[in-house]
Amino acid sequence: MLDLGLESKAKTEETVNGLNLYLANLNVLYVKLHNFHWNVVGFNFFEMHEKLQELYEFVALELDRIAERILMLGYKPVASLEGALRLTTLKEAPSVDFSSVNVARAVIHDFTEVVKQIRKLAALAGENNDEYTIVLLGDAIGFYEKNIWMFRAYLTPVK
Ligand SMILES: [Fe+2]
């Protein structure tokens, strides 16, 4: 039995469930951000195409960090697309043309959903003395909040 000195098994299991939900959302985001990267159209194509690549590259690294954290805690990450789709709270997007405004709105929506979920999860990890999970989630919260701010600025008309 793995004993890392965490507060309780119940809280560790609850944390793992939350990490698996986050992992499922990352899987959906990974595909969805590629979809936008490919299907964005309009005069902002070049900047959006590039920005979306930056976002899915972060998501790719984050997927690995979160899955490996679950393993460090002694549990199994959900490692199939079927499992991810069962758990996710995000909606996939169809393969159609997207304006950069619609992309920005969708990214703000999904990042806000994710940030709310992992903030609660970080608080739970705190109750369980799970410092490393807090650090991982704290860094991710910073990334999502920074991008929410930037996409909101992008959508704000100049007065
Ligand atoms: Fe590409």
Side-chain angles (χ1 to χ4, degrees):
M1 164 72 195
L2 178 69
D3 181 8
L4 299 171
L6 296 166
E7 179 74 20
S8 81
K9 188 166 186 262
K11 280 180 183 155
T12 303
E13 285 179 357
E14 208 184 325
T15 302
V16 167
N17 290 340
L19 288 171
N20 264 319
L21 169 59
Y22 178 36
L23 189 62
N25 284 339
L26 286 166
N27 267 299
V28 170
L29 273 178
Y30 186 70
V31 173
K32 196 167 174 177
L33 291 166
H34 274 87
N35 180 348
F36 294 152
H37 171 76
W38 298 322
N39 284 319
V40 70
V41 292
F43 291 126
N44 294 325
F45 174 85
F46 290 99
E47 65 186 81
M48 270 306 221
H49 180 72
E50 206 171 309
K51 178 68 186 173
L52 290 157
Q53 180 168 346
E54 177 203 317
L55 298 183
Y56 70 63
E57 283 174 354
F58 169 85
V59 168
L61 296 173
E62 183 71 352
L63 269 168
D64 192 48
R65 283 191 285 262
I66 297 304
E68 290 181 357
R69 182 63 190 143
I70 293 169
L71 286 155
M72 287 177 224
L73 291 169
Y75 293 83
K76 287 285 186 207
V78 171
S80 69
L81 296 177
E82 197 186 10
L85 286 174
R86 235 191 341 259
L87 285 179
T88 187
T89 51
L90 302 179
K91 282 197 171 53
E92 293 201 281
S95 186
V96 296
D97 288 348
F98 291 101
S99 68
S100 55
V101 168
N102 283 339
V103 167
R105 286 185 183 142
V107 170
I108 291 168
H109 176 276
D110 287 356
F111 280 14
T112 303
E113 164 104 12
V114 167
V115 98
K116 285 183 190 165
Q117 190 238 328
I118 64 176
R119 192 188 307 288
K120 277 191 206 148
L121 188 53
L124 172 68
E127 290 171 25
N128 200 30
N129 300 330
D130 182 355
E131 296 298 337
Y132 188 47
T133 298
I134 300 169
V135 168
L136 284 176
L137 296 176
D139 285 349
I141 288 167
F143 175 85
Y144 297 120
E145 288 185 349
K146 185 169 186 181
N147 278 289
I148 290 165
W149 156 56
M150 289 195 286
F151 277 95
R152 283 170 60 88
Y154 181 86
L155 290 176
T156 304
V158 179
K159 283 181 194 141

